[in-house]
Amino acid sequence: MEHAKKLFLEKVAYNLRVSSLISTSKAGSGHPTSCLSAADIMSALFFYAMRYDPQDHKNPNNDRFILSKGHAAPVLYAVYKELGVLTEEDLLGLRNFDSVLEGHPTPRFAYVEAATGSLGQGLSIAVGMSYAAKMDKRDYTTYVLLGDMETTEGSVWEAAEVAAFYKLDNLIGIIDVNRLGQSAPTMHEHNLAGYVQKFQAFGWHTITVNGHNIEDLCTSFDEAKNVFEKPVIIIAETIKGYGINFAANKEGFHGKAFKGEEEDRALEQLYQNFSSIADAYSDYSWLSNVPVKDTLHVIPPILLPEPTYVKGHMLATRKAYGQVLSILGSKEESVVSLDAEVKNSTYAELFEKKHKAQFVQCFIAEQNMVSMGVGMSGLGKIPFISTFACFFTRAYDQVRMAAISKAPLRLVGSHAGVSIGQDGPSQMGLEDIALMRALPNSIVLYPADAVSTYKLVALMANYNAGISYLRTTRMDTPVMYDNDEPFTIGGCNIVRQSRHGDSYACVVAAGVTLFESLKAYEVLKREGVTISVIDLYSIKPLAQDILIRMAKKSGQKVITVEDHYLEGGLGEAVTYALRNTETEIRCLAVKKMPRSGTPQRLMEYEEIDANAIIKAVHGF
Amino acid sequence: MEHAKKLFLEKVAYNLRVSSLISTSKAGSGHPTSCLSAADIMSALFFYAMRYDPQDHKNPNNDRFILSKGHAAPVLYAVYKELGVLTEEDLLGLRNFDSVLEGHPTPRFAYVEAATGSLGQGLSIAVGMSYAAKMDKRDYTTYVLLGDMETTEGSVWEAAEVAAFYKLDNLIGIIDVNRLGQSAPTMHEHNLAGYVQKFQAFGWHTITVNGHNIEDLCTSFDEAKNVFEKPVIIIAETIKGYGINFAANKEGFHGKAFKGEEEDRALEQLYQNFSSIADAYSDYSWLSNVPVKDTLHVIPPILLPEPTYVKGHMLATRKAYGQVLSILGSKEESVVSLDAEVKNSTYAELFEKKHKAQFVQCFIAEQNMVSMGVGMSGLGKIPFISTFACFFTRAYDQVRMAAISKAPLRLVGSHAGVSIGQDGPSQMGLEDIALMRALPNSIVLYPADAVSTYKLVALMANYNAGISYLRTTRMDTPVMYDNDEPFTIGGCNIVRQSRHGDSYACVVAAGVTLFESLKAYEVLKREGVTISVIDLYSIKPLAQDILIRMAKKSGQKVITVEDHYLEGGLGEAVTYALRNTETEIRCLAVKKMPRSGTPQRLMEYEEIDANAIIKAVHGF
């Protein structure tokens, strides 16, 4: 490498160090030592290896970068200062309320592709991006910088095996092996062979390098780009706090900003250790390696024809989901389906049969699957991610981070509730409504029949403001709606009421319990008691006005009934919506630890069946 | 091996096959083909390798067994029939509501050590048991049977690296490599080398074996028991559906019970394929290899002296947690602390300093940490598991399964809410109350000061009916309670009210928002408006009677305020408790996507600070 170029890259690295120090000191918090170990890698990456246009970060042909070790955010922001995207003043706003430069990266800063900061998720996001590149035959490379300590997260190994299985040779990871975690040394410390063995066993090409030698780093990136059929991991030996004598390679300096006299000392030591670089002149004029211009295809709203279900026909909503997903896939090739090896249970297999190239088998690794969806959604895909409702609990941290990323993931959880029956509690989704409601900008939908499933899935396809969640049922249920029945996000359907609209009580249900409510309606009607029944297919947002009106027309007596735990579920949501209406509310929900048994026996046991509803109505 | 012994083991395996078939056919559902691949392994394991007393399953010196591939439950139950613990009639009750033999194992059947059925968790539970053995210097071996497809779950690799790091040579895993998952072949199919490489890279001793050769299986177990300083994995090549010609090694037979004529055919083929065994006579009289008799030490309630905090002194509740945990550790050596490499943030480090042998560094691998706690709790440990509140989302599937196991885990989440400030949303626990409330038998506690933390942690130590969760705060808060103030599970404290008890409105808060409420109280008092303020330190269970009484005394006007998302949080819990009292309720909670900023600025932004409370009071 020519001297001027090398010097330029070293100067950039030096600048990244100084900026990381100054910005965290100004903020009074942050992780400067974790930035110092990564500075050379970041310089070689952004100013040597990557092909991208800093003036057009939305170009889908740009190489992508994910900072998996999100706590090193200041060094990323410092890169963008060197690129002329941010000013020094911007950097000094780090961690301030009015700044987009958050403590850990979020897409509020537009150059951040996905929020990180919960460790071990970056590689999965990058796998999603690499997979999307293969799907779209784009030749960008996805780079991801990992911390060494975060490789203990299982999600890293989920990502590693999926990437190798799909031969993602457009994916290059770098591990910043700085030996020290937050409170303890890592398992492998500076034994790079430990990482080499693991990644090789998982099918990766490995490269080891001194992470503070710019020239060697560049050579490593060159090698990495010439590997075929395998993803590559560059294992870079580094020093945490490199350049600051009193902190370098020492415990006790994680997540500590240098303050006052300590900051001065740190800057001085940096200057002394890099004086030959800091003061030298390089006449190298860097130009970014810009890819072919392009923009992501803007997907217009996807419109589906009306469904053609036959009223009374028995069909599980999970199967209707597979059917409509398949139709969506025909309408729009950006629709992709991600499966965690349960496609014959969720009926994602109906999509796979028709759209093999748009279907991604993620194996039993839900965490990686969800984060792959984040990566793919950023590149114009419309991911529908399905597994058993209960197994989204496995990936809830990833779902939470996806919400912070504002990634429009479509999550579909099948086998909701005790009504799955004999498989027992481990397979029952009983917390999913609570989990999915507690996400900013999320919507939670729960259809009872095939028509509503069809229409709600179509709405999800066009919902781009955050996470949308659909809950499906294992057992067959009868088609109850006309094919032209309208459904809206935030809507509900009044499926039973008296002719004049008044009733003795109002039952609010969704999914399987809607049919129990209809049974209860018939029995009570024979007794001369008229109840109204609401299908609350949209649990978040929720049709508060209609609920208030219906409560009023029902003598302020409302019963909610759901196949879900009480806490955070439909009942609490309705109770909250009706909180200031002086309504008497009975919430029927799963309140006892469930077990194996027939669906009907379990619904009886949990008191969410027709008899329990009748009893509750009588109880008013 | 002598012929009679071999024949005996083969006969047992044959019987396990027949029982698995018959019981799933009778139930009409289940996973017979997954049992057939494992039958020889189970025979060699229970009737050759293991040392345990079937008459005394509570003997802590027994070898332990975890069925990680929980869907093969019928073969486990069949083992207990062979052992004389269950009858054939019991087996025929499989999956019935009134039977303890559930579709996937749960401890309702007392011989099951932990619930399984959410894949990839068994190895972690086993690691906890092995670790406990080392702690207690017991020489039992822990065995765990994994499916091959479940090794794609990252939690398996979390467990693998922790087990190797701690040199758990008392841990023996077996992978039933039957090539086929639920809907697809596994990544490695029958390429055993794929598993060998991965486990060796993760520091394990590996053994490969034909999983249908009893003699070789026994030899493998002998070898495994003679490995030192390393955990051992036996990688057994098997055939899914082994013994039934029309199903063996074929896709489409996962999770399908054989019915009617198909059952007859399956049984007939089994008989034909094993006729030399089924009809042969073995005079081998098996005796179980029984360990030294012992019983687990029953831990009496742990009583702590009153704390000695000074009112007004500033101390973060997370630090008070570390202090009381350390005292608990001195009182009772069964108390163990599990950390995910954040001990200096959660203050578990205070415990570690005093009780090194009772402290377990689990590295950044929350899933494995939680399941290790399940394994340890079953062997008489009292695990306190701490990390950032937000990172329990990473292990929520494990927490959910722990609840099904009825494992008394103590979970402690620090850095709750937006009030952590500058680190930003990825580090904020904002869904934890919702998550932890939605577990059967759970309790959710949220102290505001050091005294309440001290007392609530002491209560958790003695709570054995399920999961207990404590939420702690990052920032310092003043000690506000007298050291002799009593606290109870399900209690609350009325910290402000007028002398005669009546007030204009009642504010219900917990943690940091309690102090905002107290600020609001002072301002409003100066205006001549008296509010009552409740410290709802026990969010589940919740002091409904007191809340109802206080609402009444406050003109039926209640404000809740919490540093947590609205959904599933304190506000919805209180709203539910007051649902039939005609109370006007305003719920202040985190309703906008948070970001980095100062704690006070963020609480202002989310409208959960004193000003927001004052505004809400004025709004009535």
Side-chain angles (χ1 to χ4, degrees):
Chain A
M1 181 181 286
E2 58 180 304
H3 176 72
K5 189 168 179 180
K6 176 168 173 266
L7 182 60
F8 165 78
L9 293 171
E10 286 172 342
K11 276 182 89 85
V12 166
Y14 176 73
N15 293 345
L16 299 182
R17 290 192 161 89
V18 172
S19 292
S20 300
L21 258 181
I22 292 177
S23 61
T24 50
S25 291
K26 177 76 184 353
S29 64
H31 303 75
T33 57
S34 304
C35 294
L36 294 177
S37 62
D40 299 299
I41 298 167
M42 293 294 274
S43 173
L45 191 48
F46 277 82
F47 294 86
Y48 176 84
M50 282 175 74
R51 189 191 61 178
Y52 67 102
D53 186 350
Q55 258 65 59
D56 180 16
H57 70 275
K58 294 202 162 174
N59 184 342
N61 290 326
N62 280 341
D63 284 350
R64 331 305 303 184
F65 175 71
I66 296 291
L67 183 68
S68 189
K69 50 175 283 184
H71 52 286
V75 78
L76 179 65
Y77 304 146
V79 162
Y80 285 102
K81 190 206 151 203
E82 296 303 308
L83 288 170
V85 170
L86 294 171
T87 65
E88 180 163 353
E89 203 192 331
D90 290 333
L91 293 193
L92 294 178
L94 177 70
R95 294 177 160 243
N96 278 356
F97 183 80
D98 297 316
S99 167
V100 296
L101 305 183
E102 301 207 48
H104 295 74
T106 75
R108 286 183 60 234
F109 175 44
Y111 288 73
V112 168
E113 309 253 2
T116 51
S118 178
L119 291 169
Q121 300 191 11
L123 193 60
S124 297
I125 297 167
V127 169
M129 293 176 153
S130 309
Y131 199 99
K134 295 279 184 190
M135 281 178 142
D136 293 344
K137 300 190 175 39
R138 290 192 191 273
D139 67 349
Y140 63 81
T141 300
T142 301
Y143 294 90
V144 52
L145 179 62
L146 291 85
D148 49 354
M149 191 57 112
E150 69 173 313
T151 61
T152 49
E153 283 286 9
S155 52
V156 171
W157 302 104
E158 294 182 2
E161 62 199 343
V162 169
F165 186 79
Y166 290 113
K167 302 185 167 57
L168 300 180
D169 50 14
N170 54 353
L171 171 62
I172 300 177
I174 309 105
I175 310 182
D176 178 2
V177 184
N178 67 20
R179 196 183 71 84
L180 296 171
Q182 169 173 329
S183 74
T186 60
M187 284 184 186
H188 292 310
E189 302 210 20
H190 269 142
N191 170 26
L192 302 192
Y195 300 100
V196 168
Q197 283 158 19
K198 285 178 177 172
F199 274 94
Q200 284 187 357
F202 273 70
W204 287 52
H205 180 88
T206 61
I207 300 171
T208 57
V209 65
N210 173 351
H212 297 307
N213 184 316
I214 283 280
E215 220 168 335
D216 289 352
L217 280 165
C218 293
T219 308
S220 300
F221 284 120
D222 289 340
E223 178 183 339
K225 280 190 264 191
N226 283 303
V227 171
F228 297 99
E229 303 256 297
K230 277 184 175 187
V232 180
I233 192 91
I234 297 172
I235 299 152
E237 180 167 347
T238 63
I239 303 290
K240 194 161 178 170
Y242 188 65
I244 302 179
N245 308 355
F246 68 83
N249 206 18
K250 290 201 176 68
E251 291 192 54
F253 284 95
H254 180 94
K256 292 213 172 122
F258 300 111
K259 291 170 193 174
E261 186 268 337
E262 205 179 37
E263 183 192 0
D264 298 339
R265 204 146 58 94
L267 284 169
E268 199 181 297
Q269 290 182 353
L270 256 193
Y271 177 73
Q272 277 165 1
N273 287 319
F274 295 100
S275 58
S276 65
I277 294 162
D279 291 339
Y281 170 76
S282 164
D283 60 359
Y284 181 75
S285 75
W286 179 77
L287 278 177
S288 88
N289 178 7
V290 173
V292 178
K293 276 261 176 216
D294 198 4
T295 50
L296 267 188
H297 160 66
V298 177
I299 302 164
I302 311 171
L303 302 172
L304 293 191
E306 293 290 26
T308 54
Y309 292 112
V310 177
K311 258 190 170 173
H313 178 71
M314 298 298 289
L315 189 72
T317 54
R318 60 181 170 135
K319 194 159 188 180
Y321 161 68
Q323 293 172 344
V324 60
L325 187 64
S326 184
I327 296 170
L328 276 171
S330 304
K331 286 269 169 191
E332 171 53 60
E333 64 176 12
S334 300
V335 170
V336 293
S337 164
L338 280 69
D339 171 49
E341 223 278 278
V342 286
K343 67 188 182 200
N344 51 345
S345 291
T346 60
Y347 282 105
E349 68 176 8
L350 299 181
F351 180 93
E352 183 196 21
K353 272 174 199 154
K354 271 201 158 177
H355 311 287
K356 194 140 189 72
Q358 292 159 250
F359 177 85
V360 191
Q361 179 51 268
C362 298
F363 296 92
I364 313 182
E366 297 81 3
Q367 298 191 79
N368 179 62
M369 174 170 68
V370 167
S371 295
M372 273 184 76
V374 173
M376 296 175 92
S377 72
L379 288 156
K381 299 294 172 198
I382 301 176
F384 278 81
I385 302 174
S386 50
T387 183
F388 282 33
C390 62
F391 297 137
F392 279 115
T393 60
R394 192 63 158 259
Y396 190 57
D397 194 21
Q398 280 75 8
V399 173
R400 177 182 80 88
M401 291 300 295
I404 296 174
S405 284
K406 297 190 178 165
L409 302 188
R410 287 81 180 167
L411 308 179
V412 179
S414 69
H415 293 67
V418 300
S419 58
I420 69 158
Q422 288 86 346
D423 273 344
S426 64
Q427 316 295 304
M428 295 170 177
L430 290 164
E431 315 82 358
D432 53 320
I433 296 175
L435 262 60
M436 298 302 177
R437 284 181 66 227
L439 295 168
N441 309 319
S442 68
I443 64 173
V444 178
L445 308 170
Y446 185 12
D449 82 338
V451 171
S452 48
T453 304
Y454 184 100
K455 302 228 166 166
L456 294 175
V457 171
L459 291 170
M460 288 171 84
N462 296 314
Y463 182 75
N464 294 306
I467 309 283
S468 48
Y469 177 65
L470 184 94
R471 186 176 213 233
T472 67
T473 298
R474 182 178 185 278
M475 65 165 82
D476 286 338
T477 53
V479 174
M480 58 175 280
Y481 285 113
D482 291 326
N483 285 305
D484 61 356
E485 180 82 33
F487 287 82
T488 58
I489 294 169
C492 69
N493 271 317
I494 303 161
V495 293
R496 291 290 183 279
Q497 60 181 333
S498 69
R499 221 170 322 162
H500 47 90
D502 291 348
S503 65
Y504 179 71
C506 175
V507 176
V508 183
V512 283
T513 60
L514 185 63
F515 298 99
E516 297 301 313
S517 306
L518 296 179
K519 281 189 229 166
Y521 171 88
E522 295 300 334
V523 173
L524 289 163
K525 196 178 165 191
R526 285 196 292 274
E527 290 178 9
V529 177
T530 305
I531 58 169
S532 52
V533 177
I534 293 180
D535 175 6
L536 193 69
Y537 61 78
S538 177
I539 298 177
K540 182 188 176 188
L542 167 155
Q544 188 175 24
D545 290 351
I546 300 177
L547 289 176
I548 290 174
R549 177 161 54 82
M550 290 303 292
K552 203 168 174 182
K553 286 178 148 186
S554 313
Q556 304 297 155
K557 295 190 291 294
V558 166
I559 292 162
T560 66
V561 52
E562 68 195 298
D563 193 359
H564 181 277
Y565 287 134
L566 174 73
E567 294 86 358
L570 179 151
E572 285 197 350
V574 169
T575 302
Y576 180 75
L578 295 175
R579 69 196 176 286
N580 296 331
T581 62
E582 304 191 357
T583 302
E584 203 174 335
I585 303 174
R586 309 265 156 94
C587 294
L588 307 181
V590 176
K591 294 175 186 171
K592 288 175 275 195
M593 178 88 79
R595 57 169 80 166
S596 293
T598 62
Q600 208 56 47
R601 181 67 187 90
L602 287 167
M603 290 201 283
E604 180 195 347
Y605 175 67
E606 298 291 352
E607 299 172 67
I608 57 169
D609 64 345
N611 281 337
I613 296 166
I614 293 164
K615 205 173 135 193
V617 171
H618 286 159
F620 278 121
Chain B
M1 181 180 283
E2 58 179 302
H3 176 74
K5 189 167 178 181
K6 177 166 171 271
L7 181 60
F8 166 78
L9 293 171
E10 287 172 340
K11 277 182 88 86
V12 166
Y14 176 74
N15 293 345
L16 298 183
R17 289 192 163 89
V18 172
S19 292
S20 300
L21 259 180
I22 292 177
S23 61
T24 49
S25 291
K26 177 77 183 352
S29 64
H31 302 76
T33 58
S34 304
C35 296
L36 294 177
S37 62
D40 299 300
I41 298 168
M42 293 293 275
S43 172
L45 191 48
F46 277 83
F47 293 87
Y48 176 84
M50 283 176 72
R51 190 191 61 178
Y52 68 101
D53 186 349
Q55 258 65 60
D56 179 15
H57 69 277
K58 295 203 161 173
N59 185 343
N61 290 327
N62 279 341
D63 286 349
R64 332 302 305 183
F65 175 72
I66 297 290
L67 183 67
S68 189
K69 49 174 282 182
H71 53 286
V75 77
L76 179 65
Y77 305 146
V79 162
Y80 285 102
K81 188 205 151 201
E82 296 303 306
L83 288 170
V85 170
L86 295 172
T87 64
E88 180 163 354
E89 201 192 332
D90 291 331
L91 293 193
L92 294 178
L94 176 69
R95 294 177 160 239
N96 277 356
F97 183 81
D98 297 317
S99 167
V100 295
L101 305 183
E102 302 208 46
H104 294 76
T106 75
R108 287 183 58 233
F109 175 44
Y111 287 74
V112 168
E113 309 253 1
T116 50
S118 178
L119 291 169
Q121 299 191 11
L123 192 59
S124 297
I125 297 166
V127 169
M129 293 175 153
S130 309
Y131 199 100
K134 295 280 183 188
M135 281 179 140
D136 293 345
K137 299 189 175 43
R138 289 194 192 272
D139 68 350
Y140 62 81
T141 300
T142 302
Y143 294 90
V144 52
L145 179 61
L146 291 85
D148 48 356
M149 191 57 111
E150 68 173 313
T151 62
T152 49
E153 282 286 10
S155 52
V156 170
W157 302 103
E158 295 182 2
E161 63 198 344
V162 168
F165 186 80
Y166 290 113
K167 302 185 167 59
L168 300 179
D169 51 13
N170 54 353
L171 171 63
I172 299 176
I174 310 104
I175 310 182
D176 178 2
V177 185
N178 66 19
R179 196 184 70 84
L180 296 171
Q182 170 174 327
S183 74
T186 61
M187 284 185 187
H188 292 309
E189 301 209 21
H190 270 142
N191 169 26
L192 302 192
Y195 300 99
V196 168
Q197 284 158 19
K198 285 178 177 172
F199 273 94
Q200 284 188 356
F202 274 70
W204 287 52
H205 181 89
T206 60
I207 300 170
T208 56
V209 66
N210 174 350
H212 297 308
N213 184 315
I214 282 280
E215 218 166 339
D216 290 352
L217 280 165
C218 293
T219 308
S220 299
F221 284 120
D222 288 340
E223 178 184 339
K225 280 191 262 191
N226 283 303
V227 171
F228 297 98
E229 304 256 298
K230 278 185 175 187
V232 179
I233 192 90
I234 297 172
I235 299 153
E237 180 167 347
T238 62
I239 302 289
K240 195 159 177 171
Y242 190 65
I244 301 179
N245 307 354
F246 67 85
N249 206 20
K250 290 202 178 66
E251 293 192 52
F253 285 95
H254 179 93
K256 292 210 173 124
F258 300 110
K259 290 169 196 175
E261 186 267 340
E262 205 178 38
E263 183 192 359
D264 297 340
R265 203 147 57 95
L267 284 168
E268 199 181 298
Q269 290 182 354
L270 256 191
Y271 176 74
Q272 276 165 1
N273 287 319
F274 295 100
S275 58
S276 66
I277 294 161
D279 290 339
Y281 170 75
S282 165
D283 61 358
Y284 181 75
S285 73
W286 180 77
L287 278 176
S288 89
N289 177 6
V290 173
V292 178
K293 275 260 177 215
D294 198 3
T295 50
L296 267 187
H297 159 66
V298 176
I299 303 164
I302 311 171
L303 302 171
L304 294 191
E306 293 291 23
T308 55
Y309 292 112
V310 177
K311 256 190 173 173
H313 178 71
M314 298 297 290
L315 188 73
T317 53
R318 59 180 171 138
K319 194 159 188 180
Y321 161 68
Q323 293 172 344
V324 59
L325 187 65
S326 185
I327 297 170
L328 276 172
S330 304
K331 286 271 168 189
E332 172 55 56
E333 63 177 14
S334 300
V335 170
V336 292
S337 165
L338 280 69
D339 171 49
E341 222 277 279
V342 286
K343 67 187 182 199
N344 51 344
S345 290
T346 60
Y347 282 104
E349 67 177 9
L350 300 180
F351 180 92
E352 183 194 22
K353 272 174 198 154
K354 272 201 157 175
H355 311 288
K356 194 138 189 71
Q358 290 159 253
F359 177 85
V360 191
Q361 179 53 268
C362 299
F363 297 90
I364 313 182
E366 295 81 2
Q367 300 189 80
N368 179 62
M369 174 169 70
V370 167
S371 295
M372 272 183 76
V374 173
M376 296 174 92
S377 72
L379 287 154
K381 300 294 173 197
I382 302 177
F384 277 82
I385 302 175
S386 50
T387 185
F388 283 32
C390 63
F391 298 136
F392 278 115
T393 59
R394 193 65 158 256
Y396 189 57
D397 194 22
Q398 280 76 8
V399 173
R400 178 181 79 89
M401 290 301 295
I404 296 173
S405 283
K406 296 189 179 167
L409 302 188
R410 286 81 179 168
L411 307 179
V412 179
S414 69
H415 293 67
V418 300
S419 58
I420 68 158
Q422 288 85 347
D423 273 343
S426 63
Q427 316 295 304
M428 295 170 177
L430 290 165
E431 315 81 358
D432 54 319
I433 296 175
L435 261 60
M436 298 302 177
R437 285 180 66 227
L439 296 168
N441 308 319
S442 68
I443 63 173
V444 178
L445 308 171
Y446 186 12
D449 81 339
V451 171
S452 47
T453 304
Y454 184 101
K455 301 225 166 166
L456 294 175
V457 171
L459 291 170
M460 287 170 85
N462 297 315
Y463 181 76
N464 294 306
I467 309 284
S468 49
Y469 177 64
L470 184 93
R471 187 178 212 231
T472 68
T473 298
R474 181 178 184 277
M475 66 165 81
D476 286 340
T477 52
V479 174
M480 57 176 280
Y481 285 114
D482 292 325
N483 284 306
D484 62 356
E485 179 81 36
F487 288 81
T488 57
I489 294 169
C492 70
N493 270 317
I494 303 161
V495 292
R496 291 291 184 277
Q497 60 181 332
S498 68
R499 220 170 324 162
H500 47 90
D502 290 348
S503 65
Y504 179 71
C506 175
V507 176
V508 183
V512 284
T513 59
L514 186 63
F515 297 100
E516 297 301 313
S517 307
L518 296 179
K519 281 188 228 165
Y521 171 87
E522 294 301 333
V523 173
L524 288 163
K525 195 179 165 190
R526 286 196 293 275
E527 290 178 8
V529 177
T530 305
I531 58 169
S532 53
V533 177
I534 293 180
D535 176 7
L536 193 69
Y537 60 79
S538 177
I539 298 177
K540 181 187 177 188
L542 168 155
Q544 186 175 24
D545 290 351
I546 300 176
L547 288 175
I548 290 174
R549 178 161 55 81
M550 288 303 292
K552 203 170 174 181
K553 285 177 148 189
S554 313
Q556 305 296 156
K557 293 189 292 296
V558 167
I559 292 163
T560 66
V561 52
E562 68 193 297
D563 194 0
H564 181 277
Y565 287 132
L566 173 74
E567 294 86 357
L570 179 151
E572 285 197 350
V574 169
T575 302
Y576 180 76
L578 295 175
R579 68 196 176 287
N580 295 331
T581 63
E582 304 192 358
T583 303
E584 204 175 334
I585 303 175
R586 308 263 155 95
C587 294
L588 307 180
V590 177
K591 293 176 187 171
K592 286 174 277 194
M593 177 89 78
R595 56 169 82 165
S596 293
T598 63
Q600 208 57 48
R601 181 68 187 89
L602 287 167
M603 289 202 284
E604 180 195 347
Y605 175 67
E606 298 291 353
E607 299 173 66
I608 58 170
D609 64 346
N611 281 337
I613 296 167
I614 293 165
K615 206 174 136 193
V617 171
H618 286 159
F620 277 121

